[in-house]
Amino acid sequence: MSDPRRQQILVAANAIEVPPSSSVPASEAARITVAANLAHYGYGLSAQAFTALGGLGEAELAAWWADVELVLAEATGAEKKMEAFVVYKNFPSEVLAMSEVEYWSRQLCMYWGLPNELFAQPAQERPPRTDERAGELTFRVLHLADEKTLPAIRDGLFAKPTRWLEGQWHDVQFLVGALDEQVDLGALPFVENRIQLAAHLLERGARVSVSSATDVLRLAAALSGGDVSLREPTRLRKLTRRERRGLLALLERCPNLEEDLARRREPWKRLLQQLHPGDYRDQVPRVVAAYDKLYNAAPIATFNSELERLLAARDRDALTLLQTRPGEFARRLRMTLARFGPEAVTAFTRVLGELTVHQLLKLRGFLATIDERRWRTFPPRGNWSKVQIVDRATNEKVGEPKALADRLGEVVSGVIEAVTGRARRGAPAAGGAPTPRPRTETALQLRSATADVLGALDDELSRRLREVGPVALAPETARVKLPTNDDKLSPFGRGTVFPIPPNIQFVRTATYWKSGPTSRNLWYDNGWNFHDAEWAPLGVCAWNRERFHDAAVFSGDPTNSKDLEGRACQMLDLYLDKLVKRGVRYAVWTVLCYSRKTFADAEEVHAALQWGVEPERGKLFEPSRCQLSFPLRGDSLTKYVVYLDLARRELVYLDASLPARVTSAAANGKLLSRNLPAYLEYLASLPSVHDLFLHAPQDPRGMPVLYDDAQRALAHGQPAYVFRPTNPDSEFTPFDPTRLLG
């Protein structure tokens, strides 16, 4: 029998494990049945994997499928049975048949506590789908795993230059235990991942090492289940004597001890009070001395204070100081180029070799796009829900909106507008190029210096990627963005693009939540905002705007207090051609925590997006139609998940917790007009897979780097990068670009 946890990790990497067998092989009919079951979830097997499946006996095949089905149902969200918790089970026809007054009369009665069944029709048998042969379905192909697959997945996770997603962290813990090999923490380039794993190993009795005092503070936060990034304060748990001695020993060996303590005085005071360094005065004299200075608020010279002094004086020694910390130099490069010109270029190019490929790519994307942006965006400490946006043409901050009414007020205003036909006004256009500014001598110097740095970055990247060998790079890989630290939902990066096939007629999104038993209704609202080509708002479809003309419809607002486990689901359909006829260019999907309970406050919140040809056929939730499916977690109250560009027929992944009013998507049209164009400029600056491999030698006969392999079967054993493997005849060896980013 296969291990469901192993299979879950493998499936996420487009692989599958088939155990060896000595039984009498199962019948061809049994294997075909399993293949059909896989197709139900939107998956298929490569030819090699299907052949391996033929070696299993009937009982083994049944046991294998039982484990795999659990994994696929969880991956697609099918195990939640979302369709059972929608108000109107015969959606969308049941809602479309109601007048607005009828819809809201029923909805208000349900809010007042009357059983939903009094107002909704019993679920009717839905006609089967006939659109599978119309090119709607593209199966995700799973390739046969071997003994190298799991170690390769682990090594890719170790090499990740950005923060692990929650699911990836669970994978790391499993793989470290399952593979039972010595862990080299030095193989983890990203410090937060390294510290998180170090804390895990320390709890298992392993010895660990760190490179700075700040890492010890992170380690203490990790041991206490707190924020390893140190962005949020952590309530430290009571440490054991062994842990206190271990942390103090690590601190004693750290360079720049006093400076690191001065950078975060209050967190260090709380930690050192717990560690009691005075009890070990002879063993950790440096820690005791630093603690005394910290406790007595003695002035401590720091890197930042010295750097700020030199920059204020326009002293070129600032460049020498910055060379000691190349990462900080990269963060301050734009300012130093403006201040010191060619000298800053020379100083920075001397330390390019100490930056990672990922840092070089991000810096290149920033420098290559900064002069073309209209807006500058400043998320304080990475918090996009509090982002500040400045118009570069005027150097003025864009204003904040006013608050709106609560949910009942929104219901009433929606009914009034439906009855009176009062039109909603749109916001002024948000697009357009920045007003040209005169090119001063400083501006021309900055432009010239920036061009020189871009040339140096290209040279350094080409040198680093020469060892990859020639690659056959498909231009479509520009759609795939590399991950960032702010990613929360999926392993691919924000800004990744998914083309919508020409035959697709509708998009269906769902939010499902489970709060546990509750006497009060909770809502995690599914909504879409519609905008024209200039990002002016045209309308919305959400819980209190149940239709957008004939182009979008909502499934009814559930009341989860009536379910013993507090379960509920909202679905919403978009009809793409009808949206275009209504002048819609952009549609933005949001999930809002109306009840001001964060995603983390619920037992479970899940989001899924399907698309298809026939909205009235098939089940309300069809796993094979599902394109995106993921849990929503964290302390945010908002999530902008994706947007559609209907002119280009593209779905673009956002994963953004931008500012929003949680009362309804109807409250956020003007906010989106203000924020999203600026956010999309930021996304455009993020590096893609294409940006990475563009610096490797190019040759049509080289290693394939593809968005998908639908038109090209790759040879057995051939190394290749394929973002969406869809060809069952391909048998390539996956190449993980993460290994190049460190």
Side-chain angles (χ1 to χ4, degrees), residues 303-326 328-330 332-333 335-337 339-340 343-344 347-348 351:
F303 174 90
N304 284 332
S305 63
E306 178 65 9
L307 178 61
E308 293 300 339
R309 184 187 69 79
L310 293 172
L311 289 173
R314 293 183 176 270
D315 189 329
R316 284 161 175 76
D317 285 346
L319 299 176
T320 303
L321 184 60
L322 281 168
Q323 284 180 313
T324 65
R325 298 191 181 181
E328 185 66 24
F329 204 163
R332 294 178 180 257
L333 182 60
M335 179 268 294
T336 56
L337 290 178
R339 188 158 298 183
F340 301 114
E343 292 175 273
F348 183 66
V351 297

Side-chain angles (χ1 to χ4, degrees), residues 387-512:
V387 65
Q388 305 294 313
I389 298 174
V390 175
D391 191 319
R392 294 185 68 235
T394 62
N395 204 33
E396 293 180 356
K397 179 182 171 184
V398 179
E400 292 292 334
K402 297 179 180 178
L404 289 187
D406 62 11
R407 194 176 191 93
L408 185 57
E410 287 286 333
V411 170
V412 174
S413 64
V415 174
I416 292 173
E417 290 186 17
V419 174
T420 63
R422 189 172 71 240
R424 305 182 185 97
R425 295 182 180 272
T435 303
R437 290 176 287 179
R439 292 188 179 180
T440 64
E441 183 177 346
T442 302
L444 291 173
Q445 172 183 284
L446 179 58
R447 184 177 290 269
S448 174
T450 299
D452 291 341
V453 173
L454 285 170
L457 288 170
D458 286 338
D459 291 343
E460 179 66 19
L461 286 165
S462 297
R463 184 186 69 79
R464 300 272 192 100
L465 293 174
R466 194 177 302 136
E467 298 178 1
V468 178
V471 299
L473 179 60
E476 293 81 9
T477 53
R479 296 170 177 158
V480 186
K481 292 289 187 176
L482 297 173
T484 67
N485 277 334
D486 296 323
D487 294 326
K488 302 292 185 185
L489 304 181
S490 292
F492 46 82
R494 297 168 169 181
T496 295
V497 175
F498 299 86
I500 302 173
N503 60 299
I504 293 301
Q505 299 298 312
F506 78 98
V507 168
R508 177 172 295 158
T509 55
T511 55
Y512 163 90

Side-chain angles (χ1 to χ4, degrees), residues 6-17:
R6 290 168 64 96
Q7 293 287 32
Q8 187 178 43
I9 295 171
L10 289 167
V11 166
N14 303 310
I16 196 75
E17 193 170 53

Side-chain angles (χ1 to χ4, degrees), residues 540-695:
V540 68
C541 190
W543 71 268
N544 59 341
R545 301 288 190 273
E546 81 283 359
R547 294 184 209 170
F548 176 71
H549 305 292
D550 59 346
V553 60
F554 181 73
S555 67
D557 201 18
T559 47
N560 74 319
S561 63
K562 299 170 187 175
D563 182 78
L564 292 177
E565 297 184 49
R567 294 168 293 183
C569 180
Q570 296 176 349
M571 291 190 180
L572 200 156
D573 273 9
L574 308 183
Y575 307 117
L576 304 186
D577 291 343
K578 293 179 179 179
L579 286 172
V580 172
K581 290 179 180 178
R582 294 290 179 177
V584 175
R585 168 71 187 269
Y586 302 109
V588 185
W589 180 23
T590 63
V591 182
L592 304 174
C593 303
Y594 170 83
S595 306
R596 304 201 69 82
K597 297 289 186 180
T598 68
F599 298 117
D601 289 332
E603 289 186 15
E604 187 176 10
V605 184
H606 197 88
L609 181 146
Q610 309 169 78
W611 64 38
V613 179
E614 302 168 316
E616 297 286 0
R617 289 179 172 269
K619 295 181 179 179
L620 277 178
F621 182 82
E622 290 270 2
S624 61
R625 281 174 166 169
C626 196
Q627 305 300 312
L628 296 173
S629 180
F630 31 65
L632 297 177
R633 299 192 181 98
D635 295 326
S636 174
L637 294 171
T638 67
K639 183 66 71 176
Y640 292 88
V641 188
V642 304
Y643 81 91
L644 305 179
D645 184 334
L646 297 177
R648 299 173 63 90
R649 286 188 68 87
E650 291 178 343
L651 181 152
V652 183
Y653 175 67
L654 290 176
D655 184 12
S657 297
L658 293 171
R661 303 184 187 102
V662 298
T663 52
S664 167
N668 294 319
K670 291 183 180 180
L671 268 174
L672 280 168
S673 293
R674 183 198 78 175
N675 293 334
L676 206 54
Y679 186 73
L680 296 185
E681 282 189 339
Y682 158 74
L683 292 184
S685 74
L686 299 179
S688 67
V689 168
H690 188 273
D691 295 329
L692 171 64
F693 285 101
L694 185 63
H695 293 90

Side-chain angles (χ1 to χ4, degrees), residues 69-331:
E69 184 174 29
L70 292 175
V71 172
L72 301 186
E74 182 176 349
T76 58
E79 93 286 4
K80 304 179 194 312
K81 302 187 184 303
M82 288 184 269
E83 62 275 10
F85 306 103
V86 173
V87 174
Y88 297 109
K89 306 295 190 295
N90 302 309
F91 177 76
S93 59
E94 188 172 357
V95 177
L96 292 171
M98 301 181 204
S99 67
E100 295 232 27
V101 172
E102 183 181 10
Y103 176 90
W104 281 109
S105 298
R106 297 182 181 197
Q107 194 68 65
L108 288 169
C109 290
M110 287 185 266
Y111 288 151
W112 289 330
L114 295 175
N116 294 10
E117 292 76 16
L118 293 178
F119 310 100
Q121 300 172 5
Q124 300 174 2
E125 186 73 22
R126 298 174 71 89
R129 293 166 51 193
T130 61
D131 53 12
E132 292 91 341
R133 292 184 298 277
E136 175 192 357
L137 299 181
T138 301
F139 293 121
R140 179 175 165 183
V141 172
L142 303 175
H143 292 263
L144 185 64
D146 58 24
E147 69 280 358
K148 298 179 181 179
T149 306
L150 281 175
I153 293 172
R154 178 204 56 196
D155 293 346
L157 289 169
F158 280 10
K160 195 170 184 280
T162 55
R163 188 178 298 114
W164 287 322
L165 304 175
E166 183 179 341
Q168 291 174 331
W169 168 231
H170 294 323
D171 293 347
V172 167
Q173 294 176 80
F174 176 84
L175 291 170
V176 166
L179 298 178
D180 195 26
E181 297 176 4
Q182 188 68 31
V183 176
D184 177 15
L185 289 173
L188 281 71
F190 189 64
V191 64
E192 291 179 30
N193 294 344
R194 186 166 64 248
I195 297 303
Q196 195 170 14
L197 181 55
H200 176 70
L201 296 174
L202 194 63
E203 289 178 328
R204 295 174 60 186
R207 294 174 62 88
V208 301
S209 61
V210 297
S211 58
S212 72
T214 302
D215 286 353
V216 175
L217 188 59
R218 291 191 176 100
L219 187 56
L223 290 170
S224 302
D227 180 13
V228 180
S229 72
L230 304 181
R231 290 179 178 177
E232 302 294 334
T234 295
R235 184 179 180 86
L236 296 173
R237 69 166 170 80
K238 185 175 179 59
L239 300 170
T240 66
R241 184 180 181 86
R242 181 178 63 84
E243 289 171 337
R244 289 191 286 114
R245 294 183 65 175
L247 292 176
L248 285 169
L250 291 174
L251 273 178
E252 183 68 15
R253 297 192 294 269
C254 288
N256 302 319
L257 177 60
E258 292 182 356
E259 181 182 342
D260 275 9
L261 265 61
R263 192 177 297 126
R264 294 181 172 86
R265 288 179 178 270
E266 291 307 314
W268 274 116
K269 286 180 181 179
R270 291 195 298 271
L271 176 59
L272 289 170
Q273 283 172 356
Q274 272 224 47
L275 296 182
H276 306 301
D279 295 349
Y280 311 95
R281 187 173 296 273
D282 294 338
Q283 291 93 338
V284 290
R286 292 180 64 240
V287 177
V288 171
Y291 185 31
D292 286 343
K293 283 189 176 183
L294 182 70
Y295 188 83
N296 294 312
I300 299 174
T302 66
F303 174 90
N304 284 332
S305 63
E306 178 65 9
L307 178 61
E308 293 300 339
R309 184 187 69 79
L310 293 172
L311 289 173
R314 293 183 176 270
D315 189 329
R316 284 161 175 76
D317 285 346
L319 299 176
T320 303
L321 184 60
L322 281 168
Q323 284 180 313
T324 65
R325 298 191 181 181
E328 185 66 24
F329 204 163
R331 283 187 286 273

Side-chain angles (χ1 to χ4, degrees), residues 16-95:
I16 196 75
E17 193 170 53
V18 178
S21 173
S22 57
S23 302
V24 177
S27 65
E28 183 74 12
R31 281 189 294 153
I32 292 174
T33 299
V34 168
N37 291 341
L38 283 162
H40 170 73
Y41 290 99
Y43 289 82
L45 296 178
S46 70
Q48 186 181 17
F50 189 74
T51 300
L53 206 63
L56 299 183
E58 294 279 351
E60 292 170 322
L61 183 61
W64 179 87
W65 170 245
D67 289 339
V68 170
E69 184 174 29
L70 292 175
V71 172
L72 301 186
E74 182 176 349
T76 58
E79 93 286 4
K80 304 179 194 312
K81 302 187 184 303
M82 288 184 269
E83 62 275 10
F85 306 103
V86 173
V87 174
Y88 297 109
K89 306 295 190 295
N90 302 309
F91 177 76
S93 59
E94 188 172 357
V95 177

Side-chain angles (χ1 to χ4, degrees), residues 344-408:
V345 176
T346 301
F348 183 66
T349 53
R350 288 174 181 163
V351 297
L352 279 180
E354 299 181 48
L355 296 173
T356 67
V357 169
H358 198 233
Q359 288 174 311
L360 296 174
L361 286 170
K362 289 194 296 183
L363 180 60
R364 192 191 186 287
F366 170 77
L367 294 177
T369 60
I370 187 61
D371 286 330
E372 306 304 320
R373 294 196 205 177
R374 175 172 178 176
W375 297 276
R376 298 171 67 195
T377 55
F378 303 96
R381 304 184 73 180
N383 187 347
W384 284 95
S385 67
K386 298 180 180 179
V387 65
Q388 305 294 313
I389 298 174
V390 175
D391 191 319
R392 294 185 68 235
T394 62
N395 204 33
E396 293 180 356
K397 179 182 171 184
V398 179
E400 292 292 334
K402 297 179 180 178
L404 289 187
D406 62 11
R407 194 176 191 93
L408 185 57

